[in-house]
Amino acid sequence: EADIYQTPRYLVIGTGKKITLECSQTMGHDKMYWYQQDPGMELHLIHYSYGVNSTEKGDLSSESTVSRIRTEHFPLTLESARPSHTSQYLCASSADVASGRNEQFFGPGTRLTVL
Amino acid sequence: QQPVQSPQAVILREGEDAVINCSSSKALYSVHWYRQKHGEAPVFLMILLKGGEQKGHEKISASFNEKKQQSSLYLTASQLSYSGTYFCGTESRSNSGYALNFGKGTSLLVTP
């Protein structure tokens, strides 16, 4: 059973608000990821991290930022939310590839609606 | 480089078989398969790490043809619980150990 958590599960906010989506995992995984996914559509990688103090932007341009101060925690922040940010945000983690088992475990997701 | 999945969607009757393909323009190091049910997060099915490798879980199996840079997922005697969207994720040799590139997904519906 994967132990990766996201809060909140649902969030409805007004335009211009600053929000932080939380993601935590208890598996000790080095790698963590943030994906954006519209209903029934593909997964778009927006940020990833190889470990503490390491963050990289993904393929999809995003106005969000991330931080990785602790191994287990990988929050995503939107400084000023806009209706175009309405989507589902999925967090995932995986073990280091050297272990040979680098499948990704996904959190339950945060469904964000910006009015 | 995003892998290409085919077909985009398929509808089966319970007990029928299906094949979902995933191909890449880059040399691949590994291929992952995930299934996502409506309203839920993707769930890992299997990973194929080297050319020619085949793996299986119950009546779902997969193959990886490294030379052709493609993988296929085989669903045998489909069950209602197989319904969902299937994604392949590829790891190329040029970015081994880096984030996966996911395909657009194949929507599978199994009807009674």
Side-chain angles (χ1 to χ4, degrees):
Chain A
E1 183 91 9
D3 296 312
I4 180 164
Y5 309 98
Q6 290 185 244
T7 58
R9 292 292 310 277
Y10 302 90
L11 180 61
V12 181
I13 60 166
T15 297
K17 299 290 186 183
K18 177 181 179 179
I19 60 167
T20 296
L21 307 185
E22 302 287 349
C23 176
S24 294
Q25 50 95 6
T26 59
M27 297 172 281
H29 287 168
D30 289 325
K31 297 183 178 180
M32 296 189 73
Y33 315 85
W34 275 104
Y35 294 92
Q36 185 175 339
Q37 184 184 38
D38 292 326
M41 302 298 285
E42 61 204 278
L43 296 156
H44 291 287
L45 180 68
I46 49 176
H47 296 281
Y48 58 101
S49 167
Y50 299 142
V52 172
N53 294 325
S54 149
T55 61
E56 301 286 345
K57 286 188 179 291
D59 297 328
L60 182 67
S61 174
S62 173
E63 294 162 344
S64 58
T65 59
V66 292
S67 63
R68 189 88 183 275
I69 298 172
R70 292 181 287 145
T71 298
E72 63 271 21
H73 195 214
F74 191 41
L76 181 144
T77 298
L78 277 166
E79 290 293 332
S80 180
R82 295 207 303 259
S84 61
H85 295 140
T86 295
S87 188
Q88 174 163 258
Y89 293 83
L90 289 163
C91 179
S93 71
S94 66
D96 188 273
V97 70
S99 71
R101 296 284 300 176
N102 62 334
E103 67 263 34
Q104 295 189 16
F105 296 93
F106 286 83
T110 293
R111 190 168 295 279
L112 173 66
T113 301
V114 183
L115 304 174
Chain B
Q1 198 89 22
Q2 184 179 42
V4 177
Q5 286 187 236
S6 62
Q8 285 185 307
V10 59
I11 299 175
L12 299 173
R13 288 198 179 274
E14 201 171 4
E16 292 181 337
D17 302 339
V19 180
I20 299 172
N21 299 304
C22 173
S23 62
S24 173
S25 59
K26 286 192 171 184
L28 298 177
Y29 176 77
S30 72
V31 179
H32 298 216
W33 285 97
Y34 294 79
R35 177 172 63 205
Q36 184 178 28
K37 292 183 178 287
H38 181 69
E40 299 180 7
V43 173
F44 172 78
L45 292 176
M46 62 189 77
I47 178 174
L48 300 105
L49 289 173
K50 51 190 176 182
E53 185 171 24
Q54 296 193 6
K55 285 200 169 181
H57 176 68
E58 296 180 348
K59 293 181 179 177
I60 299 176
S61 61
S63 64
F64 178 21
N65 188 321
E66 193 175 0
K67 285 185 178 178
K68 292 185 178 180
Q69 297 164 190
Q70 65 186 35
S71 175
S72 295
L73 186 72
Y74 306 94
L75 299 102
T76 306
S78 59
Q79 305 169 18
L80 296 176
S81 61
Y82 288 1
S83 293
T85 301
Y86 290 78
F87 293 96
C88 70
T90 58
E91 184 181 13
S92 67
R93 292 197 175 278
S94 63
N95 70 340
S96 173
Y98 288 60
L100 295 174
N101 292 309
F102 282 97
K104 292 188 176 184
T106 294
S107 177
L108 176 72
L109 176 64
V110 181
T111 63

